[in-house]
Amino acid sequence: MQNIYIALTGKWYFYSALSKTYFIGQSGPGIYDLKLFPYQTITHDKTPYNIPESTSDEKELSAEENAYFESLETTSFLVLLRDSVIFEKYWEEHTPETVSNTFSAAKSIVSLLIGIAVEEGYIGSIDESVGEYIEEWNKAPYSKITIRDLLTMSTGLGWHESGGNPFSDNAEAYYGTDLEKLVLKQEVVEEPGKEFEYISSATQVLTIVLERATGLGLSVYFQDKIWSKIGSGSDAYWSLDKEGGIEKGYCCLYATTRDFAKIGLLIANDGVWKGERIVPEWYMKEAFVPADIKVKGGGDNHRYGLHWWVVPTEEDTVRYARGIQGQYIVVVPGRDLVVVRTGHKRASDYREVPPGFDDFPESIKPQIGHPGDLFVYLKVAMRLADQE
């Protein structure tokens, strides 16, 4: 019956998905999937930056904290305070040299490249129609969608976002071989610019915009404008849909934990790296302000800026990128903190906070729309920082 459905719908990617999951002992996408797909290499900085180490006493996770981290199959946890490493731990086979997948945390990096492309004149404005850069969408109803609508996840597009359904649009995007065709054929089902609805296709359309506007592939532009300028110590890799194909911009950037932390440092330093402005100042001011839209189902948006998640707090707005299975790059400007966590699982309930971790300070109370484990990592990082 399943084979008949595949034949009728043309979802032949399903067999590729089987070969890359169940046949190798996985139930779905994994953080070490790099060699399962073609990829583009992103060359590291010629003068790598070694993040300074704290000179204070070595810190440890409590038994309770470590048990929680292990319950979610954490592979790395790194905390920087005032640009110095104050805690770093790796689990399982993960080491400081291991590259792993950002999954959707890559979306936030694509956002930075959009700001840079506007500053360089490749894109006129984030309020321009996407149809100015994608000829196939230079017609109604697609021409109503702006680059800002893509950045704020308010596209009105009818994409099926699911991390578990093997026949979802997301599954075809991950395991299929014609990503551009897939995302450009999606339909507009609601008025753009009105409601927040998180869909990965929004980032993939931004990836196409960048490629067509700059004339460069996403990996090349990222290498030229960010990766080669922030002291990256290792090559990064971006998965492609096929050999010679397009990057999976909505996910699938692989790098080491310390190099992910350098993205966090760039954000913590307002888009400036060692005196050189990398991300334009105007974009940094806009990217972390909750977009003036509604959340689908009701209520104002307090959780999402320009492809960056935000948690308004008493001290400052926490800024973070996140991906499935709990990939996080977190910046807490008010505390001079950068936190990176990689692993195989994330809290299943977005408001789930385990016993013993529910006495949060007022500054980081869990909020709707954010995974509960994020706040545990924040609390642990703040505890470690208080020991400095």
Side-chain angles (χ1 to χ4, degrees), residues 113-177:
L113 293 173
I114 290 289
I116 293 169
V118 173
E119 186 71 11
E120 292 190 329
Y122 290 114
I123 296 172
S125 162
I126 63 172
D127 291 307
E128 282 188 311
S129 167
V130 176
E132 293 292 322
Y133 303 93
I134 299 178
E135 183 180 358
E136 298 93 318
W137 280 17
N138 194 17
K139 59 186 178 182
Y142 298 101
S143 56
K144 290 185 178 181
I145 301 172
T146 66
I147 294 172
R148 184 185 296 275
D149 295 336
L150 295 171
L151 287 166
T152 59
M153 294 287 179
S154 58
T155 63
L157 293 166
W159 179 266
H160 182 198
E161 184 80 13
S162 171
N165 183 348
F167 295 108
S168 68
D169 290 326
N170 267 45
E172 185 168 357
Y174 194 73
Y175 294 108
T177 58

Side-chain angles (χ1 to χ4, degrees), residues 135-372:
E135 183 180 358
E136 298 93 318
W137 280 17
N138 194 17
K139 59 186 178 182
Y142 298 101
S143 56
K144 290 185 178 181
I145 301 172
T146 66
I147 294 172
R148 184 185 296 275
D149 295 336
L150 295 171
L151 287 166
T152 59
M153 294 287 179
S154 58
T155 63
L157 293 166
W159 179 266
H160 182 198
E161 184 80 13
S162 171
N165 183 348
F167 295 108
S168 68
D169 290 326
N170 267 45
E172 185 168 357
Y174 194 73
Y175 294 108
T177 58
D178 198 341
L179 192 46
E180 187 168 299
K181 179 181 178 181
L182 177 66
V183 298
L184 294 186
K185 75 177 183 181
Q186 61 190 315
E187 297 180 354
V188 179
V189 296
E190 295 179 359
E191 184 73 16
K194 302 297 183 183
E195 287 188 328
F196 170 84
E197 185 173 15
Y198 185 91
I199 55 171
S200 291
S201 62
T203 316
Q204 198 58 44
V205 175
L206 287 172
T207 299
I208 298 170
V209 168
L210 276 169
E211 186 177 68
R212 297 192 184 183
T214 65
L216 300 170
L218 180 65
S219 296
V220 173
Y221 198 58
F222 175 55
Q223 176 178 305
D224 288 350
K225 302 305 174 184
I226 296 179
W227 203 244
S228 64
K229 295 184 176 184
I230 61 170
S232 54
S234 301
D235 290 348
Y237 308 90
W238 217 312
S239 289
L240 308 175
D241 61 349
K242 57 181 173 287
E243 289 288 352
I246 190 171
E247 287 88 348
K248 299 174 184 178
Y250 72 94
C251 68
C252 308
L253 172 64
Y254 292 76
T256 66
T257 298
R258 283 210 173 200
D259 280 344
F260 285 142
K262 290 167 186 174
I263 295 289
L265 285 174
L266 178 65
I267 300 304
N269 290 292
D270 195 37
V272 174
W273 186 269
K274 306 304 177 187
E276 179 185 2
R277 177 155 291 283
I278 306 297
V279 184
E281 185 177 10
W282 65 267
Y283 197 80
M284 293 296 295
K285 288 181 177 178
E286 285 200 51
F288 309 105
V289 177
D292 186 18
I293 52 178
K294 298 291 185 181
V295 174
K296 193 171 183 66
D300 294 330
N301 166 55
H302 299 293
R303 68 190 68 166
Y304 208 70
L306 301 182
H307 256 44
W308 280 85
W309 295 95
V310 293
V311 184
T313 72
E314 289 184 349
E315 295 180 340
D316 203 347
T317 296
V318 174
R319 310 165 174 188
Y320 76 101
R322 83 181 188 213
I324 59 168
Q325 300 177 13
Q327 320 315 312
Y328 292 105
I329 304 172
V330 188
V331 179
V332 190
R335 298 285 296 257
D336 288 326
L337 279 173
V338 172
V339 183
V340 177
R341 186 271 182 185
T342 64
H344 300 294
K345 290 183 180 180
R346 187 169 69 194
S348 57
D349 186 330
Y350 270 36
R351 283 170 286 181
E352 173 189 330
V353 178
F357 291 95
D358 51 4
D359 56 334
F360 287 90
E362 286 296 324
S363 59
I364 55 162
K365 286 288 186 183
Q367 297 181 18
I368 293 174
H370 305 284

Side-chain angles (χ1 to χ4, degrees), residues 45-52 80 82-84 229-233 258-259 262 265 273-274:
D45 197 329
K46 293 180 180 179
T47 55
Y49 173 65
N50 293 317
I51 304 173
L80 275 59
R82 293 185 292 274
D83 298 358
S84 295
K229 295 184 176 184
I230 61 170
S232 54
R258 283 210 173 200
D259 280 344
K262 290 167 186 174
L265 285 174
W273 186 269
K274 306 304 177 187

Side-chain angles (χ1 to χ4, degrees), residues 25-67:
Q26 294 183 186
S27 60
I31 63 173
Y32 303 132
D33 281 356
L34 175 62
K35 293 185 179 180
L36 297 180
F37 303 95
Y39 57 82
Q40 181 73 35
T41 300
I42 301 159
T43 306
H44 64 78
D45 197 329
K46 293 180 180 179
T47 55
Y49 173 65
N50 293 317
I51 304 173
E53 305 277 348
S54 169
T55 57
S56 65
D57 294 338
E58 186 173 337
K59 299 171 182 63
E60 298 286 347
L61 297 179
S62 70
E64 184 180 43
E65 290 166 348
N66 192 67

